[in-house]
Amino acid sequence: GEQVEQLPSILRVQEGSSASINCTYENSASNYFPWYKQEPGENPKLIIDIRSNMERKQTQGLIVLLDKKAKRFSLHITDTQPGDSAMYFCAASRNYQLIWGSGTKLIIKP
Amino acid sequence: GGIITQTPKFLIGQEGQKLTLKCQQNFNHDTMYWYRQDSGKGLRLIYYSITENDLQKGDLSEGYDASREKKSSFSLTVTSAQKNEMAVFLCASSIDRGNSGNTLYFGEGSRLIVV
């Protein structure tokens, strides 16, 4: 079936540096791309999203980029802090559903 | 703000048993979802419903039934529990009927344990 590929599966970065997570999708009709953060033992929560009429969106230390031609979108966390340690999931819309990436475990090293 | 409540938080059953998870939301959202999350992995859609009494299969519907008797509630039944489906089941809701461009709000999850 249709997939969203998310890489890397584990990402270790030094506190204060930036972290980048990349996703690719298959369906050129996808027009909505959210990112969810899931802390240990918690449920996933939306942190930022981008629609296909935009190429870049930024909010509170988070930047998402969308390259529709390459069917690729990415999340960039600037100035990482210990509280950024979590699982991050990307997703792409397909009809009435979201197709989810397999997740990235972000570990912030002190 | 609203809340999504899943019950029970832990569901322990025997292999082959029929087990039901319940989900209630007070957002007055149209669409509700059931996802399965295996340890350290992504979310796979089991069933979703865009309105009361509607039911749509996701990619992982085999072995499961679902029911949306009211707008506010969506239940999921594991028809015959197997040890390889021990996972966390997440219920979610979103505001618009069948529009995937809206925020999903998740419940706290229900962990299935099969003995």
Side-chain angles (χ1 to χ4, degrees):
Chain A
E2 232 171 292
Q3 293 196 31
V4 169
E5 187 175 25
Q6 181 173 349
L7 291 170
S9 54
I10 301 176
L11 178 59
R12 294 183 178 86
V13 301
Q14 206 72 38
E15 184 179 344
S17 63
S18 55
S20 296
I21 303 170
N22 299 291
C23 290
T24 55
Y25 61 99
E26 296 178 358
N27 189 343
S28 56
S30 293
N31 59 4
Y32 175 65
F33 308 90
W35 288 88
Y36 281 76
K37 176 182 180 183
Q38 186 177 27
E39 299 190 61
E42 303 277 325
N43 53 7
K45 292 181 176 65
L46 179 73
I47 52 172
I48 192 168
D49 57 16
I50 191 166
R51 296 181 191 272
S52 57
N53 59 351
M54 300 174 74
E55 292 177 350
R56 184 181 193 276
K57 186 173 178 180
Q58 181 169 359
T59 178
Q60 295 179 333
L62 302 174
I63 301 169
V64 289
L65 302 174
L66 173 62
D67 180 344
K68 284 176 290 188
K69 205 168 178 183
K71 293 187 208 163
R72 185 169 56 219
F73 58 114
S74 55
L75 173 69
H76 307 271
I77 306 172
T78 59
D79 187 24
T80 52
Q81 299 299 311
D84 293 324
S85 292
M87 285 288 289
Y88 291 81
F89 295 97
C90 65
S93 61
R94 179 190 77 182
N95 298 326
Y96 300 134
Q97 301 177 34
L98 288 173
I99 307 299
W100 295 79
S102 54
T104 296
K105 184 172 186 175
L106 177 61
I107 299 166
I108 308 300
K109 298 182 287 185
Chain B
I3 191 167
I4 296 184
T5 305
Q6 289 186 232
T7 54
K9 203 171 169 79
F10 295 93
L11 181 55
I12 302 172
Q14 293 187 322
E15 218 169 358
Q17 193 175 356
K18 189 172 177 180
L19 301 167
T20 298
L21 301 168
K22 294 186 184 295
C23 179
Q24 296 267 348
Q25 53 98 358
N26 64 359
F27 289 102
N28 198 33
H29 283 170
D30 286 316
T31 309
M32 295 185 75
Y33 310 79
W34 275 107
Y35 284 96
R36 172 175 157 172
Q37 184 173 30
D38 291 274
S39 181
K41 297 192 177 167
L43 304 173
R44 291 187 286 173
L45 183 64
I46 306 172
Y47 271 99
Y48 69 104
S49 166
I50 63 173
T51 189
E52 188 177 326
N53 293 321
D54 175 72
L55 210 52
Q56 308 283 341
K57 290 183 179 181
D59 292 333
L60 202 65
S61 60
E62 191 167 333
Y64 301 94
D65 284 328
S67 177
R68 183 95 182 268
E69 308 94 343
K70 297 190 293 186
K71 187 175 183 179
S72 61
S73 67
F74 193 30
S75 60
L76 179 73
T77 298
V78 181
T79 54
S80 176
Q82 303 298 317
K83 287 192 175 175
N84 65 1
E85 63 193 332
M86 290 201 288
V88 174
F89 291 81
L90 287 165
C91 176
S93 70
S94 65
I95 189 167
D96 273 347
R97 183 171 296 189
N99 182 345
S100 63
N102 290 298
T103 304
L104 263 62
Y105 294 88
F106 285 87
E108 297 295 320
S110 296
R111 183 172 291 277
L112 175 65
I113 300 166
V114 182
V115 298

